[in-house]
Amino acid sequence: MSYQTAIERMYALGHELAQAPSHKFDLAHMRVLLAALENPERRSSGVLIAGTNGKGSTAATLASILQASGVRTGLYTSPHLVRINERVRINGGEISDDDFALLHDVVDRTAERLVGEGELPWHPSFFEMLTAMAFEYFARRKVDLAVLEVGMGGRLDATNVIEPRVSVITDISLDHQKFLGNTVAEIAREKAGIIHPGGIVVTLPQQPQANDVIGNTILEMDATAVSAVPYVPPVAPGSDCGYGSRGKYLTTECTEDTERSDHRQPVWRYPLQVMGQKICVETPLMGRHQLRNVALTIAAAEELSKQGFPITAASIERGVRDTRWPGRFQVIPAANGNPEYIFDVAHNPAGAWALRSTLSACYEDRRLIFVFGALRDKAIGEMAEILFPVAERVVATRADNPRSATPDEICQAARTSAEIKTAPDVATAVAQACAFGGSDGVVVITGSIYVVGEAMRLLGARI
């Protein structure tokens, strides 16, 4: 089977959230599929990361730390910005087209046989197929540890078939209510499903409803709670990013002899005690919310070091600094008369607040032009209420996705005094925003990972 045929067959299964919950969330069916593949999920260790926001950033940072420590590391994330291959990586490298096609053929034929024999009631979903392919890929390539971002929820997510070395829960807020519940407590119960009996759980204090659920689940499962609080740096609410020769950064200084990277992306820099040593944490993931994600990552890395993985304070420092997670407050500087671009996949109200906070801190006196598109089932009105007031102008658009809201639907939901223009597609929206921005403006492309991905491809941004 060719790569293109494999991709077409995957997408023919429909969008991973389009089916009824009963067709997507059934670990018994996932276990049947994996058993027929001789349980590849058991042939390497794994870490599970769940949450509403920040789980992808946390997964990418932890994978970078492990790679810097000499651990052969698998990384499984979702969704993707441009190519589906982005979701499955080993030591930072995407799965090749040939391997993708081969593994799709193996898993697809196995699934069809199981359906034909009555072992499965229906063909696995898009996400179940891809998760099984990732497990098989990691097993065949003999990774030492796989970092798995939970797709949605946790309790019944296809990734939750492993016995994790460590479970990590990032910040929880309202999102995917159709599938997970209408309150933070209900959603937290699904996320806390990655806590296994006797397991290790890395957390930070968050909303009281979520704290109660997570705490009670830890007690019920006789699990060990690890707080990442010692790794969160003190950041005053009014502090800005500061400016330096390398761009914007947290103004707390590290020692002069600390190794520093050389790239144009803004960074946060601050000293921290880790594993009995003082290191300089330098993360390219911008925003105060990312400091919480980095803290969770460092706490998880330290727990893995106690389990025998060769992680040191120096490799934690290097891994955090070398993290690459595109589309999360990713900046392209102004050049050739074009404005500065910022890509950020703020796809729910919590993400919108995080984006607004970072923009207010780092771009307070700059003209902001937004390119905004969102999926129809998202809280568009609330996101618009949060983001649009800081914009000089907004261009509403839609990605090439059947779940995308139309520009008119965005305008109707926005209920804002901000000036909103519409564009039928992302390319037109980016062109309009570029014209509005000029050389001194900042074009912020956000609202949906699909909009951000299309814009990054158009502008040749690094993926």
Side-chain angles (χ1 to χ4, degrees):
M1 182 182 295
S2 70
Y3 172 74
Q4 188 57 42
T5 301
I7 293 294
E8 290 171 359
R9 286 178 66 89
M10 283 292 289
Y11 284 120
L13 295 172
H15 191 277
E16 52 207 88
L17 299 186
Q19 298 178 9
S22 61
H23 281 220
K24 178 173 171 58
F25 303 126
D26 193 324
L27 289 188
H29 296 161
M30 189 66 187
R31 291 191 175 103
V32 168
L33 176 61
L34 292 172
L37 295 167
E38 299 182 355
N39 294 113
E41 81 283 6
R42 298 178 185 174
R43 285 180 252 155
S44 60
S45 298
V47 173
L48 283 174
I49 301 177
T52 304
N53 290 89
K55 59 184 186 290
S57 300
T58 303
T61 306
L62 181 56
S64 183
I65 289 172
L66 289 164
Q67 185 179 343
S69 305
V71 178
R72 186 166 173 79
T73 307
L75 176 62
Y76 180 57
T77 58
S78 62
H80 56 275
L81 284 163
V82 175
R83 300 181 79 233
I84 196 171
N85 304 52
E86 297 168 30
R87 301 184 182 216
V88 184
R89 298 172 179 262
I90 294 178
N91 283 355
E94 295 177 5
I95 184 173
S96 70
D97 291 358
D98 288 344
D99 282 333
F100 188 98
L102 172 64
L103 292 172
H104 175 271
D105 193 45
V106 169
V107 177
D108 192 49
R109 287 177 184 273
T110 302
E112 289 183 345
R113 175 176 62 80
L114 292 169
V115 172
E117 294 174 353
E119 295 294 318
L120 287 177
W122 45 68
H123 194 285
S125 71
F126 177 104
F127 189 73
E128 289 166 335
M129 283 285 296
L130 196 55
T131 303
M133 290 166 60
F135 283 137
E136 184 69 18
Y137 183 57
F138 296 152
R140 292 187 179 202
R141 293 303 180 95
K142 295 180 170 55
V143 304
D144 299 318
L145 187 69
V147 179
L148 307 171
E149 178 191 357
V150 170
M152 186 176 67
R155 182 175 63 92
L156 296 177
D157 189 83
T159 59
N160 198 27
V161 293
I162 69 165
E163 288 298 325
R165 290 294 193 107
V166 174
S167 297
V168 182
I169 299 179
T170 67
D171 289 342
I172 296 171
S173 60
L174 294 177
D175 200 10
H176 295 304
Q177 290 97 312
K178 174 183 175 182
F179 297 92
L180 303 179
N182 293 314
T183 67
V184 168
E186 289 174 336
I187 293 172
R189 287 189 192 96
E190 296 299 321
K191 308 287 186 183
I194 68 166
I195 301 174
H196 288 224
I200 296 173
V201 189
V202 177
T203 64
L204 277 171
Q206 46 182 297
Q207 295 187 58
Q209 287 179 291
N211 288 338
D212 289 345
V213 171
I214 294 169
N216 288 333
T217 305
I218 289 170
L219 291 174
E220 291 166 6
M221 293 293 179
D222 194 27
T224 300
V226 175
S227 173
V229 168
Y231 303 117
V232 179
V235 181
S239 66
D240 63 18
C241 298
Y243 288 87
S245 61
R246 301 186 52 241
K248 309 174 185 69
Y249 58 88
L250 182 65
T251 54
T252 305
E253 286 298 325
C254 301
T255 57
E256 290 299 319
D257 60 350
T258 300
E259 180 184 354
R260 298 176 67 176
S261 56
D262 184 19
H263 53 78
R264 302 169 72 183
Q265 179 75 10
V267 296
W268 292 106
R269 301 183 74 241
Y270 50 93
L272 200 65
Q273 286 290 130
V274 175
M275 300 173 70
Q277 298 182 39
K278 184 179 180 180
I279 68 171
C280 177
V281 176
E282 182 180 283
T283 173
L285 302 179
M286 289 297 293
R288 293 184 184 88
H289 60 291
Q290 292 288 9
L291 304 182
R292 290 173 57 84
N293 298 330
V294 171
L296 289 166
T297 303
I298 293 174
E302 185 165 355
E303 287 303 311
L304 290 169
S305 75
K306 295 175 182 177
Q307 297 180 30
F309 290 93
I311 298 168
T312 64
S315 66
I316 288 175
E317 179 181 76
R318 186 166 60 254
V320 172
R321 185 181 64 241
D322 292 344
T323 301
R324 297 292 177 266
W325 191 227
R328 282 72 181 178
F329 212 90
Q330 182 174 346
V331 178
I332 297 182
N336 302 320
N338 291 321
E340 184 169 346
Y341 292 99
I342 296 173
F343 305 100
D344 192 84
V345 294
H347 61 278
N348 56 34
W353 276 120
L355 173 58
R356 176 168 171 167
S357 173
T358 308
L359 288 170
S360 297
C362 301
Y363 291 86
E364 183 178 11
D365 299 323
R366 300 288 298 278
R367 296 172 49 240
L368 302 179
I369 295 89
F370 276 65
V371 172
F372 181 88
L375 299 184
R376 190 174 285 109
D377 58 354
K378 296 293 183 176
I380 297 173
E382 191 173 349
M383 293 166 66
E385 188 175 347
I386 296 164
L387 290 174
F388 291 6
V390 302
E392 178 180 282
R393 188 171 299 188
V394 176
V395 183
T397 189
R398 61 170 297 156
D400 183 17
N401 184 295
R403 295 173 61 217
S404 294
T406 67
D408 287 342
E409 287 172 334
I410 292 172
C411 292
Q412 292 169 10
R415 300 187 304 277
T416 178
S417 59
E419 182 180 356
I420 304 178
K421 301 293 184 180
T422 61
D425 52 57
V426 173
T428 304
V430 170
Q432 288 185 15
C434 184
F436 294 145
S439 60
D440 63 335
V442 179
V443 173
V444 182
I445 302 169
T446 189
S448 163
I449 193 166
Y450 303 102
V451 167
V452 171
E454 287 187 30
M456 292 180 75
R457 185 172 63 249
L458 285 165
L459 296 169
R462 179 179 176 183
I463 309 290

